[in-house]
Amino acid sequence: MGRLAAALTRLRTTLGTVSYPLVLPSADEAQRVGSALLAQLDDYLLPKLNRLDAPLLVVVGGSTGAGKSTLVNSLVQERVTNSGVLRPTTRSPVLVAHPENLAWFEQPHLLPALIRTVKSSDDPNSLQVVGARAIGPGLALLDAPDVDSVVDHNRKLAAQLLAAADLWLFVTTAARYADAVPWELLKTAKLRGTVIALVLDRVPLDAAADISAHLGEMLTEHNLGNAPLFVLPETELDERGMLPGPVIEGMRQWFAQLSADPAARDAVARQTLDGALAALAPAVEGLAEAAEDQTRTAQALDERVDAAYRTAKRTVRDGLQDGRLLRGEVLARWQEFVGTGEFVRSLESRVGQLRDKFIAAVTGRPGPSRSLQVALESQLVTLLRGVATDAAEQAYASWQAHPSGEALLVTDLKTASADLPQVADRLVRDWQRWVLDLVRREAGDKRSVARGAAYAVNGAGLAVMIAVFTSTAFIPTGLEVAVGAGTTVAAQKVLEAVFGDQAIRTLAERARTELVGRVDELLDAEAARYTARTSAVRREAEPGTLLRQAAAAVESARKDIALTGSGS
């Protein structure tokens, strides 16, 4: 029993960690079944396992107006529960037990979520507990709400109470016995192994044989042919509003025998408990499949977002290599910075004199360097804002085309983050400072740079940034030359003159890698606005596997205990 209790506790914990937040065909049913299993574990399975000798709980359930309350009052010969004059009736369920058994039901062993009370209440979350000697020790009758009530809470509470029953006494009438809703519940109870007895109420004498025969056929069809059946003829109630004694005598004797026979009660309790335990595995399998459906869908939605932002990252990388960032203002400011066109043309033939010219340029002309830095920043920020906006729109459209994704969307996701311009500005400025610091560290004791002090470092840093915006190997292609008008050659020659050939390649590659890394972080943060909405699913590690393992442990322990003696 200890092993089984531990396995049930583990299953209960696992069920509580799995959710079904994505809109999927399987989600609503999984939510309902998951909630029902949690309630059954708390209301019935765990407490019953701890006290198999507890009094037998007989839940009286049935359709609206079937006469459940009248039947309960008649069986205990006291007016302990009131019939609803108006439908639907919202009131607390009533539990009637022998005084010897009241202590057990007054404590929240079974149905712990219901507040115990001794008075009738309109609060459906309370349970009125009443003592009555006529019920006999070892038994309790619980008058449940209508299983087909138009009030959603009443139906859910009725299903919850029936799931906590050791024995379900199903009450219907000659006019309602073929209704679909109660038969669905009967089928569920049968599959779960609950012991069932039936009451066919208000049967006209002239039709009793035909109705009883038809009901018998339906019971056999649903594998309920062995369930006890009590047929109550249509009759007048007595002055107390109860059924005449002779009408319910057979049922009272049946309950009296059950009360007087501990072995019979134990058999009923064990059969229902074993059936409820056996029904867990197939129910949990359905939940596992629904949980995996959630995980697969979350991954598919995340992949759509990843694809959009991978495209954005690739666009940035392409922009750093194909020369597009060197057009327009950046090109003009660079040419202004390094000197006239004659200076650019002289670079290749006069490398030996370049250091002095470069130092003179950057130490004496701070204005053009600042203009170039601003132009570089503006061009790069414009690129980042464009790709982030495009990625947001692409991700939004891809989720909008998926039912689960569409349900997660909010308007703000359709565009980049509101603060993206400021974040992008800060990213580029921080990267520019990083490049200048890199140049300063690499310059070290190079006296050519040292002579130029801050302006020399700034000039070399800007040249590194220009080189970053061209091909990785610093080999100008025809396209780059056409776009940059010799810019690549200029950048390379300036840097080679200051640092040497290998140093230039290393510096530009490091600067490029740093920039790409920072851009990736920015775009990952933008993508996280989407993936945060699927995180509730992704947070659960292999929920389907965990559910199956927990259910398998319960089933193994159940078979070992063999509550009904068969072990199956």
Side-chain angles (χ1 to χ4, degrees):
M1 286 295 183
R3 179 185 164 209
L4 179 56
L8 284 172
T9 301
R10 175 188 170 194
L11 175 60
R12 197 238 176 272
T13 301
T14 305
L15 285 169
T17 63
V18 181
S19 59
Y20 312 88
L22 300 182
V23 175
L24 290 169
S26 60
D28 288 345
E29 178 66 6
Q31 293 277 18
R32 186 191 66 78
V33 173
S35 297
L37 288 183
L38 284 172
Q40 189 180 33
L41 282 162
D42 291 339
D43 295 343
Y44 172 66
L45 288 172
L46 286 168
K48 192 65 179 181
L49 191 64
N50 290 330
R51 281 290 306 274
L52 276 174
D53 62 339
L56 211 62
L57 180 62
V58 180
V59 175
V60 183
S63 305
T64 301
K68 300 184 301 296
S69 299
T70 300
L71 179 62
V72 170
N73 290 336
S74 301
L75 287 172
V76 300
Q77 289 297 292
E78 293 184 41
R79 198 172 183 80
V80 293
T81 178
N82 297 319
S83 303
V85 177
L86 299 176
R87 299 291 177 181
T89 302
T90 300
R91 57 173 176 76
S92 61
V94 179
L95 186 149
V96 189
H98 191 276
E100 292 180 6
N101 302 137
L102 280 180
W104 168 257
F105 292 107
E106 286 171 346
Q107 299 300 317
H109 303 292
L110 295 170
L111 303 164
L114 296 181
I115 302 170
R116 270 52 175 177
T117 178
V118 296
K119 296 180 179 180
S120 179
S121 171
D122 291 334
D123 181 2
N125 294 311
S126 64
L127 176 64
Q128 182 185 357
V129 180
V130 180
R133 291 191 174 277
I135 191 59
L139 293 176
L141 297 178
L142 196 160
D143 183 13
D146 302 330
V147 297
D148 56 355
S149 172
V150 296
V151 178
D152 184 58
H153 185 277
N154 284 358
R155 292 196 311 275
K156 290 181 178 178
L157 180 58
Q160 179 184 354
L161 296 177
L162 290 169
D166 293 304
L167 189 155
W168 182 16
L169 184 64
F170 172 60
V171 183
T172 187
T173 66
R176 302 287 304 275
Y177 72 89
D179 288 358
V181 172
W183 278 101
E184 282 300 313
L185 288 171
L186 279 169
K187 183 163 47 175
T188 299
K190 177 62 178 178
L191 290 173
R192 196 158 51 201
T194 305
V195 177
I196 300 170
L198 294 99
V199 177
L200 181 61
D201 195 11
R202 302 173 192 158
V203 180
L205 291 177
D206 58 353
D210 291 340
I211 293 175
S212 298
H214 185 220
L215 178 57
E217 291 174 1
M218 295 182 69
L219 291 172
T220 300
E221 182 181 345
H222 289 81
N223 296 317
L224 290 168
N226 295 326
L229 173 62
F230 302 96
V231 179
L232 308 183
E234 195 170 35
T235 186
E236 294 289 334
L237 301 180
D238 64 18
E239 65 279 1
R240 297 176 300 169
M242 298 181 188
L243 294 167
V247 170
I248 59 169
E249 183 58 30
M251 197 184 313
R252 292 182 64 180
Q253 289 181 3
W254 187 73
F255 277 119
Q257 291 173 358
L258 194 58
S259 171
D261 189 347
R265 293 200 308 274
D266 182 67
V268 169
R270 285 175 175 270
Q271 178 181 331
T272 297
L273 177 59
D274 187 67
L277 292 170
L280 288 175
V284 172
E285 175 59 30
L287 296 182
E289 292 174 358
E292 289 170 344
D293 197 12
Q294 292 274 320
T295 300
R296 285 191 298 269
T297 301
Q299 291 171 344
L301 291 174
D302 288 350
E303 176 53 35
R304 294 183 181 205
V305 174
D306 290 343
Y309 284 90
R310 279 198 305 270
T311 299
K313 293 175 183 179
R314 185 165 56 250
T315 301
V316 172
R317 285 166 170 76
D318 291 345
L320 295 179
Q321 294 182 4
D322 61 14
R324 77 181 69 173
L325 294 175
L326 302 179
R327 296 184 176 95
E329 185 72 12
V330 172
L331 177 59
R333 299 287 76 79
W334 167 250
Q335 290 176 332
E336 178 185 350
F337 173 65
V338 299
T340 64
E342 291 182 5
F343 172 72
V344 174
R345 289 192 296 272
S346 70
L347 289 176
E348 289 185 295
S349 61
R350 302 173 61 191
V351 174
Q353 304 172 24
L354 184 57
R355 289 181 177 82
D356 291 337
K357 285 184 173 289
F358 179 70
I359 297 301
V362 298
T363 56
R365 302 175 63 193
S369 70
R370 178 57 188 158
S371 298
L372 175 58
Q373 188 171 352
V374 171
L376 285 168
E377 178 182 333
S378 175
Q379 193 83 315
L380 190 51
V381 168
T382 299
L383 175 63
L384 294 180
R385 293 176 64 175
V387 298
T389 298
D390 290 346
E393 292 176 353
Q394 181 182 341
Y396 191 96
S398 69
W399 273 25
Q400 199 170 36
H402 192 294
S404 298
E406 185 178 24
L408 295 175
L409 288 174
V410 293
T411 304
D412 290 347
L413 291 175
K414 195 170 187 178
T415 59
S417 298
D419 63 346
L420 178 74
Q422 293 78 20
V423 173
D425 285 341
R426 186 164 58 250
L427 181 153
V428 175
R429 288 196 298 270
D430 289 347
W431 174 73
Q432 288 177 328
R433 283 194 291 269
W434 183 91
V435 172
L436 295 179
D437 289 342
L438 174 66
V439 170
R440 186 177 294 110
R441 291 194 304 271
E442 292 299 319
D445 59 356
K446 291 183 174 62
R447 282 174 286 180
S448 59
V449 176
R451 283 184 318 203
Y455 288 136
V457 170
N458 190 52
L462 288 169
V464 169
M465 296 176 203
I466 288 291
V468 166
F469 292 170
T470 63
S471 66
T472 305
F474 306 105
I475 300 173
T477 65
L479 175 63
E480 288 172 335
V481 171
V483 173
T487 301
T488 306
V489 177
Q492 182 172 354
K493 294 300 182 181
V494 169
L495 289 171
E496 285 179 356
V498 178
F499 295 107
D501 180 71
Q502 185 58 43
I504 167 191
R505 297 174 185 275
T506 301
L507 283 176
E509 184 60 32
R510 290 173 64 183
R512 183 191 304 275
T513 300
E514 179 67 20
L515 177 58
V516 167
R518 291 174 184 244
V519 170
D520 284 354
E521 289 182 5
L522 179 145
L523 293 175
D524 286 343
E526 287 291 295
R529 299 182 307 143
Y530 281 89
T531 55
R533 306 186 76 80
T534 59
S535 61
V537 177
R538 288 182 288 103
R539 215 172 23 241
E540 298 154 1
E542 300 182 356
T545 299
L546 295 178
L547 285 169
R548 290 187 181 97
Q549 289 174 344
V554 172
E555 179 63 7
S556 175
R558 179 191 75 87
K559 288 182 176 179
D560 286 347
I561 290 174
L563 286 165
T564 60
S566 63
S568 62

